[in-house]
Amino acid sequence: QGYNCEMEEPTTPVRQQHKFNVGRLQRYLTAKTLLSNNGTLTVRQYSAGQSNPTFLIQTPSNSYVLRKQPPGELLPGAHKVDREYRVQKALFSVGFPVPQPLLHCADIKVIGTEFYLMQHVKGRIFRDLRLPGVSPAERTALYVAAVEVLAKLHSLDLPSLNLEAYGRGPGYCRRQVSTWTKQYTAAAHRDIPAMNELSDWLMKNLPASDNEVTLVHGDYRLDNLIFHPTEARVIAVLDWELSTTGQPLADLAYFLMPHYWPASLSVITGIPTVGDLISIYCRCRGIPPALPQLNFYLALSVFKMAGIAQVCTKFQQPLTGPTKDRLFLQTAKGQAVLQQVKDFMRQYVLPAQKVSSKSCQEQRGCKPWLTFSLCIIVCVCVQIKAREAGLWNLFLPAVSGLTQLDYAYIAEETGRCVFAPEVFNCQAPDTGNMEVLHMFGSEEQKKKWLEPLLRGEIRSCFCMTEPDVASSDATNMECSLHRDKDDYIINGKKWWSSGAGNPQCKVAIVMCRSGSWDVKIRHSQHSMILVPMDTAGVKLIRPLTVFGQDDAIHGGHFEVHFENVRVPASNIILGEGRGFEIAQGRLGPGRLHHCMRAVGLAELALELLCQRAATRHTFGKKLYQHEVIAHWIAECRLMIEQTRLLTLNAAHALDTLGSRAARKEIAMIKVAAGRMACKVVDIAIQVYGGAGVSGDVPLAQMYSYVRTLRIADGPDEVHLSSIANLELRDQLKKAQAKL
């Protein structure tokens, strides 16, 4: 159905803040005859639920959906699940497409909050309003069906539904402006003059037709609809939290609002025009096609969306669909997997990190490889759980079904633990090597090396940097490759080959110069070739230290010599002279992953910094009360947020434009992420004082990683030159276009 469509809304284990007593719920449902005495009951939480947390309740014979109030402080008048139940019950009785409501429970002793239960409806939910992957004809039919259902809703007779008193009727627009102004004001964490001006404008330009009254949904949009699995037909309208009685054109304008978004927010195209949708709506309702003051209703919709964003920011409730407070939206699957990873990290990875750190401290007097072995044992135990949970190979879109943008958020989360990427089989350099084999490997190479790498049965390394040349210019490489009948022979030295010392490292991808030096063709005389680590002539010379310390957790950064190493010609990847072409495909996603992990690491450093600043006293006050440290905290937050947005922009460019077109964005994040993370960790070290450079806190290890990041995959200066060249090219193109 296309990647924008979910045949089954993704679920996750119940999040910590929303857990409730399942046993009490089971006894309650048994008493209500919805569950047999010996029936079992499983509960999972919908990952993209609305502000009222939503859960999938499954029994051996049936599936239900439970919606409850969120825990904690609630805004007055918000989260009225009893109203949702009431309106759905009335609508279901007249055949309007809603899930069948089954019961409402006001007794908070059952699960801790008020809730209601309804039948589970299976069908298609479209998260991307552009409907990519859907044929033009069906795309049109889906939008027409949505508008027809909205018109049907607004045509229902309130008295026959016994809903005359469901809302306050006339004066809906005035109440909406007043309500959302109050909601925004109550939740706003800073003053936004434009919001104040818009509120004033709306109140001064109320429509003359504000006395028209129908049932209104209040949040009518495409991703609140369930469509038939194969037909362009709405089978259920969801999320009635904001429903009431009032002016129906507010619903229509809210549905049409994405058509008016700026192009930078991916305005929807290739579907029926606003004029066509309005015409269909008016025809179905039997009203004139002219809609006076449509601009007012559109402005009201935008104001309401901004108010919702403020409320959800204050109460830390995730937004969905067009109101989500992120410029770069994950897919529904991406959101679900991210929540699973967060839960898994909290439950298994972070506790394992503490165990690993304690073991390493106890073994300081032992050989570093013994310490490494202890860490590996801990990591492997958690890795098995991750694979069983399906959290495996998340970095590779073709395997995981995730976009680069989806995975960027996940990579940030794994950046909080040094071995977390390995837990999910998403560690460097294996991810880059698997991407190379996936994109450029032959079927034989994939079967022999890619498949066991994806299964986590083996590890690999990447041999590119050399000790005897300036590797910041990769064309300097001297490691040679020449053909000898059915074989290739490799001679040369490599170093900083990360992971080469891992006992499971079975293969290296080696970058070699395969032709004579010719400055005119210097980017087409290098090749990449697969070299099994047990091949005669492959010698592990020594592990390199980082700032004088062992870095064994990554399998070491080895110097590797290749002395007359002979491998079959079939081991060449893509062909001779294609090395730089492959490198561009490999380094784009890999650099993105490194940068988002650096953002996660910086978040952890800032967290540690704030904990220290809030608990230590100097000169009669806490550290954070000293202005210089308060400013450091603010600067760190600024830098992290800026880098995250820059990196998500690069992820979006990779998804939509490809590696080559996203070169400038990738180069920019490579510079920005390393600099930012270095600065944040350095400030945290300064706040910790002597403890910051010790092994008692992880900051010194974190600093060595992020400082290395400014050299790995090309130093900052090389990327800055690339950014400048690409920027000049783009500026010249703009100038020529104006002529």
Side-chain angles (χ1 to χ4, degrees):
Q1 299 295 336
Y3 70 83
N4 62 300
C5 168
E6 296 292 340
M7 286 298 292
E8 183 63 32
E9 185 74 9
T11 61
T12 68
V14 178
R15 297 165 207 161
Q16 187 64 36
Q17 67 270 32
H18 296 308
K19 286 186 175 180
F20 53 80
N21 191 313
V22 176
R24 284 203 197 108
L25 176 64
Q26 186 166 351
R27 290 191 292 273
Y28 180 80
L29 296 182
T30 301
K32 296 294 183 179
T33 70
L34 288 172
L35 188 65
S36 61
N37 287 324
N38 58 352
T40 58
L41 183 144
T42 61
V43 180
R44 289 181 63 82
Q45 186 167 4
Y46 282 107
S47 58
Q50 292 73 26
S51 60
N52 286 333
T54 309
F55 306 84
L56 176 63
I57 310 294
Q58 292 181 301
T59 72
S61 60
N62 213 336
S63 295
Y64 308 101
V65 173
L66 181 150
R67 273 171 69 83
K68 74 181 191 72
Q69 292 179 328
E73 179 188 1
L74 302 179
L75 283 175
H79 310 288
K80 295 288 187 180
V81 294
D82 58 324
R83 285 176 55 83
E84 292 187 47
Y85 176 77
R86 178 186 172 190
V87 71
Q88 286 185 225
K89 188 174 181 180
L91 290 170
F92 185 81
S93 69
V94 296
F96 187 84
V98 292
Q100 181 182 3
L102 300 172
L103 61 84
H104 168 250
C105 177
D107 184 358
I108 65 171
K109 294 178 182 178
V110 178
I111 64 170
T113 65
E114 188 177 341
F115 72 92
Y116 73 97
L117 197 74
M118 55 186 156
Q119 281 287 359
H120 177 234
V121 178
K122 291 185 177 181
R124 294 182 292 172
I125 297 178
F126 293 91
R127 293 296 174 194
D128 189 331
L129 305 184
R130 297 166 298 179
L131 307 187
V134 175
S135 69
E138 186 179 14
R139 193 179 303 150
T140 298
L142 290 167
Y143 266 85
V144 168
V147 170
E148 288 176 343
V149 167
L150 183 61
K152 180 179 180 181
L153 174 68
H154 295 160
S155 300
L156 292 173
D157 181 59
L158 288 172
S160 66
L161 293 171
N162 197 26
L163 290 176
E164 304 101 308
Y166 184 67
R168 291 164 60 186
Y172 173 80
C173 293
R174 178 182 294 275
R175 290 195 306 276
Q176 282 286 292
V177 175
S178 177
T179 297
W180 286 108
T181 298
K182 291 176 182 177
Q183 298 275 44
Y184 159 73
T185 303
H189 50 84
R190 64 183 180 89
D191 185 55
I192 304 176
M195 283 289 285
N196 301 330
E197 293 172 13
L198 181 54
S199 173
D200 292 341
W201 183 92
L202 288 168
M203 193 58 76
K204 293 174 182 177
N205 290 274
L206 294 170
S209 58
D210 201 15
N211 290 328
E212 183 180 0
V213 177
T214 72
L215 185 61
V216 295
H217 182 275
D219 193 17
Y220 194 84
R221 59 180 196 253
L222 201 71
D223 55 342
N224 270 337
L225 308 178
I226 300 179
F227 287 88
H228 188 277
T230 59
E231 301 172 13
R233 176 164 57 88
V234 177
I235 57 176
V237 180
L238 306 176
D239 195 9
W240 293 87
E241 181 184 353
L242 300 178
S243 61
T244 184
T245 59
Q247 171 54 254
L249 294 186
D251 261 353
L252 179 63
Y254 193 74
F255 181 76
L256 297 175
M257 180 176 53
H259 289 73
Y260 295 90
W261 285 350
S264 59
L265 294 181
S266 301
V267 63
I268 53 180
T269 58
I271 63 171
T273 65
V274 169
D276 289 340
L277 293 174
I278 289 176
S279 177
I280 294 166
Y281 172 84
C282 293
R283 186 179 70 249
C284 290
R285 286 197 62 200
I287 62 176
L291 298 181
Q293 291 189 273
L294 179 62
N295 282 346
F296 171 87
Y297 298 110
L298 291 168
L300 176 60
S301 297
V302 173
F303 183 68
K304 182 168 74 172
M305 185 172 71
I308 292 172
Q310 286 289 345
V311 171
C312 291
T313 299
K314 178 176 181 179
F315 293 101
Q316 298 181 334
Q317 296 161 2
L319 291 165
T320 59
T323 58
K324 193 172 182 183
D325 61 342
R326 286 174 177 166
L327 179 60
F328 301 104
L329 302 178
Q330 286 183 290
T331 64
K333 182 173 183 178
Q335 294 175 37
V337 175
L338 174 60
Q339 188 59 52
Q340 284 182 278
V341 169
K342 286 182 176 180
D343 293 340
F344 192 92
M345 289 279 292
R346 183 178 59 253
Q347 186 173 0
Y348 298 111
V349 178
L350 298 181
Q353 185 180 30
K354 293 179 181 178
V355 172
S356 177
S357 298
K358 183 179 179 181
S359 299
C360 289
Q361 289 178 11
E362 292 173 351
Q363 297 294 333
R364 278 177 182 168
C366 301
K367 295 181 180 180
W369 292 108
L370 177 57
T371 301
F372 170 63
S373 298
L374 290 169
C375 296
I376 285 295
I377 291 170
V378 173
C379 178
V380 168
C381 291
V382 183
Q383 192 179 57
I384 293 170
K385 294 180 182 294
R387 188 167 184 178
E388 290 174 349
L391 300 175
W392 198 253
N393 296 325
L394 304 176
F395 71 96
L396 193 59
V399 174
S400 67
L402 302 173
T403 66
Q404 293 293 349
L405 186 59
D406 286 334
Y407 183 67
Y409 288 103
I410 295 167
E412 177 182 344
E413 193 66 25
T414 62
R416 297 177 63 87
C417 171
V418 66
F419 62 75
E422 296 181 45
V423 167
F424 306 108
N425 207 40
C426 293
Q427 68 284 341
D430 298 286
T431 52
N433 292 341
M434 286 187 271
E435 282 165 339
V436 165
L437 290 168
H438 172 72
M439 290 188 289
F440 306 111
S442 66
E443 290 305 313
E444 177 188 351
Q445 292 166 352
K446 290 178 181 178
K447 186 173 182 60
K448 187 171 183 179
W449 301 114
L450 176 59
E451 291 180 10
L453 281 168
L454 288 170
R455 292 192 295 266
E457 297 170 353
I458 65 171
R459 295 288 295 273
S460 63
C461 65
F462 185 67
C463 300
M464 184 170 183
T465 306
E466 298 184 3
D468 298 330
V469 299
S471 295
S472 56
D473 178 359
T475 62
N476 285 336
M477 277 183 282
E478 294 179 340
C479 184
S480 65
L481 175 79
H482 72 267
R483 184 76 178 254
D484 181 28
K485 297 180 181 178
D486 294 332
D487 295 330
Y488 280 107
I489 298 176
I490 304 162
N491 280 285
K493 301 176 183 179
K494 299 288 184 180
W495 72 345
W496 294 106
S497 300
S498 302
N502 190 307
Q504 291 301 109
C505 182
K506 304 300 182 183
V507 65
I509 294 181
V510 186
M511 184 87 154
C512 307
R513 183 160 55 85
S514 53
S516 59
W517 180 262
D518 185 342
V519 71
K520 294 180 181 179
I521 58 169
R522 63 191 188 124
H523 285 96
S524 59
Q525 56 187 4
H526 294 77
S527 305
M528 287 194 190
I529 192 165
L530 290 157
V531 179
M533 296 299 288
D534 59 1
T535 306
V538 177
K539 298 183 178 180
L540 299 182
I541 303 302
R542 61 181 176 126
L544 298 161
T545 60
V546 179
F547 286 114
Q549 300 296 314
D550 178 70
D551 199 26
I553 187 65
H554 298 293
H557 307 288
F558 267 75
E559 180 173 346
V560 185
H561 291 185
F562 298 86
E563 299 177 359
N564 293 315
V565 174
R566 183 182 291 268
V567 296
S570 58
N571 282 24
I572 199 82
I573 300 177
L574 198 60
E576 279 196 54
R578 309 289 291 276
F580 277 93
E581 178 185 344
I582 297 170
Q584 289 305 311
R586 178 188 191 277
L587 292 175
R591 285 172 179 157
L592 171 70
H593 305 161
H594 272 308
C595 292
M596 280 307 283
R597 284 194 289 265
V599 172
L601 180 146
E603 285 282 10
L604 176 59
L606 180 56
E607 185 179 305
L608 294 171
L609 187 165
C610 290
Q611 289 172 2
R612 184 76 165 189
T615 55
R616 287 297 176 107
H617 292 75
T618 61
F619 306 105
K621 53 186 176 182
K622 291 185 177 180
L623 288 180
Y624 73 84
Q625 293 173 322
H626 293 278
E627 187 176 44
V628 63
I629 292 181
H631 285 189
W632 284 352
I633 293 170
E635 292 288 351
C636 287
R637 173 50 60 202
L638 285 168
M639 289 187 290
I640 291 171
E641 295 298 330
Q642 290 166 352
T643 305
R644 178 185 289 112
L645 285 174
L646 199 60
T647 310
L648 293 175
N649 180 57
H652 177 70
L654 267 175
D655 284 329
T656 56
L657 304 175
S659 291
R660 183 172 180 81
R663 283 179 299 165
K664 184 165 70 173
E665 286 79 5
I666 293 168
M668 288 192 293
I669 63 169
K670 182 61 176 62
V671 175
R675 286 180 174 179
M676 175 278 296
C678 266
K679 184 65 176 176
V680 172
V681 177
D682 184 69
I683 290 173
I685 289 173
Q686 195 71 10
V687 172
Y688 270 82
V693 294
S694 75
D696 292 350
V697 291
L699 292 170
Q701 183 184 26
M702 292 160 67
Y703 185 83
S704 70
Y705 167 72
V706 293
R707 184 60 185 87
T708 305
L709 191 61
R710 295 187 60 197
I711 301 170
D713 290 342
D716 289 357
E717 292 71 24
V718 170
H719 294 295
L720 287 169
S721 295
S722 297
I723 294 165
N725 290 333
L726 292 167
E727 180 64 20
L728 286 166
R729 181 201 65 182
D730 293 344
Q731 292 289 351
L732 289 173
K733 283 184 178 179
K734 289 180 183 177
Q736 290 174 353
K738 291 178 181 179
L739 296 177

